[in-house]
Structure formats: structure tokens, C-alpha cells
């Protein structure tokens, strides 16, 4: 077996991503950094038309259903954009926030959240880091308490990429005891009442994207937005 097992199809995708990154993204790297923003929604629609927002995701939701080596080629060539912020925002959309939805989501959840990501109509964010705990995921304090058929969410996150533009957040919340095994994942629509985006944080680099604080004040979402098993987020 040749390793990596590159073939002509991998090369074709690599060429598509390289040309897109060099012609559509790289020429604007300084402009977008100076503006402290980039046209993510517009660019994601263009990427969706090229099939780049669902490389490994199931075809039934609009993905390509391809293997990890296609993703390796995609990520490698995306770096031709020469803009760390744009690359990070894009990888949150394609490979950080959404794979867990594809792997754990019910058919209804995938139709509601994953399908519009693949089509470029939704932007996703990942909500894990908090003001009091960064890499210490077991210390998460944002809570989701059951009330009838809903979860009521209170707390805060920080350094959240895509916070200002996201349609939903794959959100880590505490639903059980302290420590690793009391954390769940939920799909959180950002239109939910009580959700606010706080200050945009200044950084040494990646200026084109927002890294922001977000806050949850008695936000209600239906329990059907639980992603995977309750209290199993650390394992997921």
C-alpha cells in the first residue's frame, strides 16, 4: 500500500483548494486583517459551491462522504490563504465544530444544523473555553438545568471564534456532577433569547476574525438539542 494513499481524486481536490486559497483568500489577507473582519458568509457560500464544507460528511446531508486523506489535502492547501484568522474561522466551520454533529447527531439534528452548514447557509462555532477555565475542560461552569422539556442555560464562554457571525454553537455545558463526567454537548441556536456576544478580544494576530466573549442568561433550548449522551461530552 502506498502511504499516504494519494490518488488522482485527492490531487484534484488539492488543486481546487489551492486555487481557491490563492485567488480568493490570499489577495485579501492584509485588507481583512486591517478591517478586523472578513466576509465569512460570502466566502462560505462560495466554498459550499465547490463542495469544500462537507468533505467527510454524509452525502445524504449534502456532503461528499470522502476519507480523511481528502481532509489532509484540504487543510494543507487552505494554508495558501496566508491568513491565520481566515484559516482558523474556516476550520472551525469544517473540522472543529461540525464533525461531532455528523458523528453524534440524530437525523433531525443533522437536517437542522449540519445540512445548512454544508450548503453554506449556517455558520458554526464551538463553545468550550470559559473565563475561569481554558484547557481545563473539566472545570466548566456554564450550566444547563432541565426545566420541563427544556434546558435552561446560564454562564459564559470566552475566546470563541465565529461568535459574532455564528448561527449556532456546539456548546459544552455542565449537566451533572463536578469533573469530567458531568459535561454534555448541546446545539445552541444563537437567536435564543438571553444570548449575547460580549467584547471582541484583541490578539497579537488572527485579526480578521472575531474571538469574543459570549454570555447566557436563562437561555432556553429544547432538550432535543442534546448532542450525544448526557454527561458524556468529555468522552465524545
Amino acid at each position: 500500500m502506498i502511504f499516504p494513499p494519494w490518488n488522482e481524486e485527492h490531487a484534484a481536490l488539492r488543486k481546487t483548494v489551492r486555487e481557491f486559497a490563492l485567488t480568493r483568500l490570499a489577495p485579501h489577507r492584509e485588507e481583512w486583517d486591517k478591517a478586523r473582519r472578513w466576509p465569512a458568509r460570502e466566502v462560505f457560500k462560495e466554498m459550499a459551491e465547490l463542495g469544500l464544507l462537507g468533505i467527510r460528511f454524509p452525502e445524504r446531508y449534502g456532503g461528499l462522504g470522502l476519507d480523511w486523506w481528502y481532509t489532509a489535502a484540504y487543510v494543507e492547501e487552505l494554508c495558501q490563504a496566508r491568513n491565520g484568522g481566515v484559516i482558523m474561522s474556516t476550520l472551525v466551520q469544517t473540522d472543529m465544530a461540525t464533525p461531532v454533529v455528523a458523528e453524534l447527531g440524530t437525523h433531525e439534528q443533522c437536517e437542522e444544523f449540519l445540512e445548512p452548514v454544508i450548503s453554506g447557509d449556517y455558520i458554526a462555532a464551538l463553545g468550550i473555553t470559559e473565563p475561569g477555565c481554558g484547557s481545563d475542560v473539566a472545570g466548566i461552569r456554564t450550566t444547563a438545568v432541565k426545566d420541563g422539556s427544556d434546558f435552561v442555560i446560564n454562564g459564559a464562554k470566552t475566546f470563541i471564534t465565529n461568535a459574532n457571525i455564528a448561527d449556532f454553537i456546539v456548546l459544552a455545558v455542565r449537566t451533572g456532577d463536578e469533573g469530567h463526567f458531568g459535561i454534555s454537548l448541546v446545539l445552541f441556536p444563537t437567536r435564543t433569547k438571553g444570548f449575547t456576544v460580549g467584547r471582541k478580544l484583541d490578539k497579537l494576530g488572527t485579526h480578521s476574525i472575531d474571538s469574543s466573549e459570549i454570555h447566557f442568561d436563562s437561555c432556553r433550548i429544547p432538550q432535543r438539542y442534546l448532542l450525544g449522551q448526557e454527561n458524556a461530552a468529555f468522552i465524545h
Side-chain angles (χ1 to χ4, degrees), residues 161-173:
T161 299
N162 293 346
N164 277 287
I165 57 176
D167 296 284
F168 73 95
I169 303 168
V170 176
L171 185 66
V173 291

Side-chain angles (χ1 to χ4, degrees), residues 15-73:
K15 182 174 182 290
T16 296
V17 179
R18 182 189 302 124
E19 289 180 352
F20 183 82
L22 286 172
T23 61
R24 181 66 178 93
L25 304 179
H28 301 285
R29 60 187 183 272
E30 294 182 6
E31 169 194 342
W32 291 342
D33 267 359
K34 288 178 181 177
R36 296 297 200 266
R37 62 187 297 273
W38 76 293
R41 201 165 291 275
E42 175 185 327
V43 172
F44 286 156
K45 282 299 286 187
E46 296 172 24
M47 292 182 69
E49 292 171 4
L50 296 172
L52 300 180
L53 298 186
I55 291 173
R56 296 192 318 280
F57 298 153
E59 293 180 65
R60 68 188 300 191
Y61 303 119
L64 300 181
L66 300 175
D67 63 41
W68 277 96
W69 293 109
Y70 287 93
T71 293

Side-chain angles (χ1 to χ4, degrees), residues 139-153:
I140 281 174
R141 299 295 179 193
T142 297
T143 58
V145 177
K146 291 180 179 178
D147 183 18
S149 60
D150 294 338
F151 282 120
V152 179
I153 299 174

Side-chain angles (χ1 to χ4, degrees), residues 101-114:
V101 183
E103 292 172 15
L104 300 176
T106 64
H107 174 62
E108 292 75 19
Q109 288 173 338
C110 287
E111 282 191 320
E112 186 172 352
F113 294 97
L114 184 64

Side-chain angles (χ1 to χ4, degrees), residues 125-146:
L126 184 64
I128 296 178
T129 302
E130 296 187 357
C133 60
S135 55
D136 177 21
V137 178
I140 281 174
R141 299 295 179 193
T142 297
T143 58
V145 177
K146 291 180 179 178

